[in-house]
Amino acid sequence: MHNRLFALPLVAGAAALALTGCATSSASGDASSDGKIAVVASTNVYGSLVETIGGEHVDVTSILNDPSQDPHSFESSARTQLAVSQADLLIENGGGYDDFMTTLADASDTKADTINVVKLSGLDKGGDTEFNEHVFYSYPTMVKLVDDVTKRLSALDEGDEATFEKNADALTTKLEDLESQTADLKKTYDGEKVSYTEPVPGYLFDAIGLDNVTPEAFAEAIEEGDDVPPAALNKTLQLFSAKTVRLLAYNDQTSSPETEQVQKAAEDNGIPVVGVTETLPKGEDYVSWQQANIDAVQAALQK
């Protein structure tokens, strides 16, 4: 698995502010006074799902929530530390993706339960195969997460259990519809070759039956922030000059000279480029974001 390059300078001042409550309060900072369940999620992907389930009964802090932010880098603040220290529930991706959550939790000495979505997914089988930690593109995993979040919110606020379950049922229906759409697309596009700059949409591609043929050395170097081996770059560029692939999925939140070169090669050869992200675009919730991803992939495959 890949270890994401998150920087976490927990300076003494930030830690002290978190412990004394002198930092600017986050949404979850008022949880004890307003009676809402305080939830801290590593990204707004998970925060969106909690908000949909919990509604007005939760205060959610999503640590990474800027669509223009490179999710491979993160700097803690006193506000973030305070939110974690006062949380009733923490949600992390896991799989080496957001190790800063463990660091924050340890520094705050929080007693809140933590949902590790990679562990919940059951997708990491171990072994020598590289694990794709972007499990937020796996709809069956999100169904599991919705169920787990609902149970935990209900345990924290038994009086609103019926509301949580009703909201969760509606959300699960929408997630299952996304699954159904990808299953339908698989009937037409199973086995079609595609490429990506990073394995962000890997589980979506798997659900549609698409065959990613990007050289592993290229995608791994990009994800780790390393220089791409020249041979891997050349092989990747040949996918587009030879028109081997139907589309390129490009991570809009990270770029490098190599990824820009690959994007240009795709465009020059008439290969559709589909932008993907690791956090929610502004104004989107989880379902609308993933619906847009499905629609974009389908439109590219139809060209």
Side-chain angles (χ1 to χ4, degrees):
M1 71 186 64
H2 299 293
N3 290 319
R4 310 299 277 181
L5 305 179
F6 289 101
L8 186 55
L10 289 174
V11 296
L17 286 171
L19 293 174
T20 61
C22 296
T24 302
S25 177
S26 66
S28 63
D30 298 326
S32 59
S33 61
D34 63 15
K36 296 183 179 182
I37 301 171
V39 182
V40 176
S42 62
T43 78
N44 62 2
V45 173
Y46 299 128
S48 170
L49 293 171
V50 175
E51 288 172 341
T52 301
I53 299 166
E56 65 182 6
H57 305 292
V58 296
D59 272 325
V60 179
T61 298
S62 297
I63 294 177
L64 297 178
N65 58 18
D66 185 349
S68 65
Q69 180 180 11
D70 179 352
H72 297 196
S73 61
F74 165 73
E75 292 186 0
S76 179
S77 66
R79 172 182 290 188
T80 304
Q81 188 70 58
L82 177 62
V84 171
S85 71
Q86 297 182 339
D88 299 306
L89 177 64
L90 303 174
I91 303 178
E92 65 183 13
N93 187 83
Y97 183 84
D98 48 7
D99 287 341
F100 66 85
M101 286 292 288
T102 300
T103 305
L104 284 166
D106 289 346
S108 68
D109 198 29
T110 178
K111 305 302 182 184
D113 287 340
T114 298
I115 298 176
N116 182 306
V117 185
V118 165
K119 290 182 179 179
L120 181 67
S121 74
L123 292 169
D124 187 2
K125 306 300 183 181
D128 296 330
T129 303
E130 283 290 340
F131 175 67
N132 181 5
E133 68 271 25
H134 303 92
V135 293
F136 39 87
Y137 273 78
S138 165
Y139 307 143
T141 295
M142 295 303 97
V143 170
K144 290 182 179 180
L145 177 59
V146 168
D147 181 64
D148 195 5
V149 168
T150 303
K151 291 177 180 177
R152 292 176 190 260
L153 294 183
S154 297
L156 291 165
D157 179 5
E158 295 180 358
D160 292 304
E161 180 178 2
T163 298
F164 301 147
E165 291 181 348
K166 179 180 178 180
N167 292 343
D169 287 345
L171 178 54
T172 297
T173 296
K174 293 178 180 179
L175 293 173
E176 290 174 344
D177 179 62
L178 296 178
E179 289 186 68
S180 178
Q181 291 180 53
T182 57
D184 286 342
L185 289 174
K186 186 174 182 178
K187 297 174 184 177
T188 302
Y189 299 109
D190 190 23
E192 293 287 350
K193 292 181 172 56
V194 295
S195 179
Y196 51 51
T197 55
E198 295 182 64
V200 173
Y203 293 107
L204 173 58
F205 283 2
D206 290 345
I208 301 174
L210 302 177
D211 180 17
N212 168 61
V213 293
T214 309
E216 184 176 332
F218 176 89
E220 183 174 353
I222 295 301
E223 191 172 20
E224 297 289 357
D226 297 333
D227 292 333
V228 177
L233 177 59
N234 288 334
K235 288 181 180 179
T236 303
L237 294 173
Q238 289 171 10
L239 295 176
F240 307 103
S241 60
K243 299 188 177 181
T244 302
V245 295
R246 296 286 298 271
L247 65 84
L248 168 68
Y250 189 94
N251 187 348
D252 286 333
Q253 290 176 274
T254 62
S255 64
S256 69
E258 293 92 346
T259 60
E260 291 173 359
Q261 191 175 351
V262 166
Q263 180 181 18
K264 185 176 186 302
E267 293 171 344
D268 288 348
N269 288 281
I271 307 297
V273 177
V274 176
V276 295
T277 60
E278 299 181 55
T279 55
L280 298 185
K282 191 173 182 179
E284 301 283 355
D285 61 21
Y286 180 85
V287 172
S288 65
W289 172 52
Q290 286 300 320
Q291 183 64 64
N293 286 328
I294 292 173
D295 292 345
V297 171
Q298 181 177 12
L301 292 170
Q302 289 174 340
K303 293 182 178 180

